[in-house]
Amino acid sequence: VNKFDFITHKDCEVFQDHDLSSYSTMKLAARGDLIVVKSLAALKFLVKELSQRKMEYQVIGWGANTLLSQNAEKIFLHLKIANHEGVLSEVKDRYLLSATTSIATLVSAASKLGLSGWEVLTGIPGSLGGAIAMNAGTKFGEIAKIVDKVYVLDKDGKEKIIIMNGDSFSYRKNHFLKNGDVIYQAELKHLGIDPAVNKKITDYLQFRNQTQPLKSATCGCIFKNSETKAKTCPAGLYIDIIGLKGFSYKDMAISHLHGNFMMNTGAATKEDVLELIKLVEEELYLYFGIKFQKEVVV
Ligand SMILES: Cc1cc2nc3c(=O)[nH]c(=O)nc-3n(C[C@H](O)[C@H](O)[C@H](O)COP(=O)(O)OP(=O)(O)OC[C@H]3O[C@@H](n4cnc5c(N)ncnc54)[C@H](O)[C@@H]3O)c2cc1C
C-alpha cells in the first residue's frame, strides 16, 4: 500500500521521495515527499486528510529562505494557484492576490503603476506567501506595511481571514500563523501613487546587484541583524570584520561580496550549511559576545 493512496484529488500532484534540489534557491542536495497543490479545493482536501492521519506538512514557496534536508520527515506542499487574470493591471486601493504570486511580479506591477510601499521588496526572491510568513523586507521597509488581510487555511481545512494590525509582524517574523496554517491568498494595499517608484526600483536593483551575490546559490541572509535599544549590529558587517568573507567548509563558502550570504558551490547538504553556520556563530560570539539569531528557516 502506498502511503499517499488517499490523495485522490485531481489538483494534487504527488512526488514521493523526490529530488528536491531545485526546490530551494540554495540548491542543496535534498530528497523528500512533495505535493504540488493546484486549487483551493485541493488544498482544503489535502490538509484535512494529512492532519487526520497526523502526517506533518510544511509549505514551501521558492525555498528562498529554507534549508532542505536529504531525508525530510515533513511533507512539503508547494502551491500553484493562479491569480485572476489582469488583477495587477490597473491602480486599485486593494489587490487580492494568490500566495503563489512571485515577489518579482509585485515589484514589476509597482514599477508600472507607481504603487508606493511595494518598492521595498525589490530584488527579494520568493512568493507572496513566503514573504508574508517571513515579513520580508529591506532597509527601506517591510511587507508588513502593505498587507491588509491574510487568508489562511488551518490544519482542519477551515478558512480564516486574519486582519493585520500593528502587532501582526516584527523583524522577519509574523505573529499570527499557527502550526499547520497555510496562507492561500492575501489582500495588499499601497501607500499612495508615486511616479518616483519606478526610479527607486531601478536604483535598488542596481544597489543589490553590486552588494549581494545574486547569481550564486544562496538563501539570502543567514543571520538576522542583532538589534539592541542602542544600536543595530549588521551580521554581514561583523562577519566581514572578523575576516570570514571567503571562508569555506566543504562545498559551502561565505560570499566575498556580502558576509551574511553563504553560497553552495557544488553539492552541499543541509548538514554542511549548519556546520558552517555553527562555526560562524561561535566566532561572532567569541569576538563580539553577540548571539546572532538565524533568519533562514532550518
Ligand atoms: C539572493 C537572495 C536575497 C534575499 N534577500 C532578502 C531580503 O533582502 N530581505 C528578505 O526579507 N529576505 C531576503 N531573502 C530571503 C527570501 O527571499 C525571503 O524570505 C522570501 O520571502 C522567502 O519566500 P519563499 O517563497 O521562498 O519562502 P520559503 O523559503 O519557501 O518559506 C519560508 C517560510 O515561509 C513559510 N511559507 C511559505 N509559503 C507559505 C504559505 N503560503 N503559507 C504559510 N507559510 C508559508 C515556509 O513554510 C517557511 O517557514 C533573500 C533570499 C535570496 C536567495
Side-chain angles (χ1 to χ4, degrees), residues 84-123:
H84 294 295
E85 224 182 290
V87 66
L88 282 166
S89 61
E90 56 183 3
V91 172
K92 291 188 277 190
D93 285 344
R94 299 281 185 277
Y95 295 90
L96 187 60
L97 296 161
S98 162
T100 319
T101 313
S102 76
I103 302 172
T105 301
L106 300 178
V107 172
S108 145
S111 161
K112 204 171 65 192
L113 303 172
L115 306 176
S116 180
W118 294 31
E119 74 282 3
V120 304
L121 302 175
T122 301

Side-chain angles (χ1 to χ4, degrees), residues 58-59 61-66 124-125 127 130-131 133 136-137 172 183 208 218 220:
Q58 182 189 335
V59 188
W62 283 33
N65 201 41
T66 307
I124 302 178
S127 64
R172 301 293 174 268
I183 303 170
R208 284 185 84 101
T218 75

Side-chain angles (χ1 to χ4, degrees), residues 58 65-68 134 219 222 270 294-298:
Q58 182 189 335
N65 201 41
T66 307
L67 301 183
L68 298 180
M134 295 302 304
C219 59
I222 295 287
K270 179 175 172 177
K294 283 184 267 303
E295 177 169 328
V296 60
V297 179
V298 297

Side-chain angles (χ1 to χ4, degrees), residues 107-238:
V107 172
S108 145
S111 161
K112 204 171 65 192
L113 303 172
L115 306 176
S116 180
W118 294 31
E119 74 282 3
V120 304
L121 302 175
T122 301
I124 302 178
S127 64
L128 175 59
I132 292 173
M134 295 302 304
N135 188 17
T138 52
K139 63 179 177 186
F140 305 110
E142 298 170 328
I143 197 167
K145 281 260 169 62
I146 56 166
V147 186
D148 215 21
K149 290 183 194 140
V150 178
Y151 292 68
V152 164
L153 214 60
D154 73 10
K155 61 179 177 3
D156 301 316
K158 273 212 290 294
E159 292 172 44
K160 292 191 289 194
I161 302 177
I162 310 175
I163 298 168
M164 299 295 105
N165 61 43
D167 298 323
S168 301
F169 295 99
S170 56
Y171 177 49
R172 301 293 174 268
K173 221 181 183 167
N174 77 78
H175 299 288
F176 51 86
L177 289 180
K178 307 266 181 302
N179 193 24
D181 278 358
V182 179
I183 303 170
Y184 62 93
Q185 61 183 18
E187 197 172 274
L188 300 189
K189 59 187 175 190
H190 56 76
L191 311 176
I193 299 303
D194 176 2
V197 162
N198 182 336
K199 167 89 170 71
K200 282 186 191 166
I201 290 174
T202 312
D203 292 348
Y204 293 173
L205 266 181
Q206 201 178 6
F207 175 75
R208 284 185 84 101
N209 270 313
Q210 284 162 359
T211 55
Q212 298 180 0
L214 299 183
K215 294 199 174 76
S216 304
T218 75
C219 59
C221 288
I222 295 287
F223 299 103
K224 293 184 180 186
N225 295 328
S226 168
E227 310 255 9
T228 64
K229 278 214 178 80
K231 60 177 179 174
T232 298
C233 309
L237 176 65
Y238 281 44

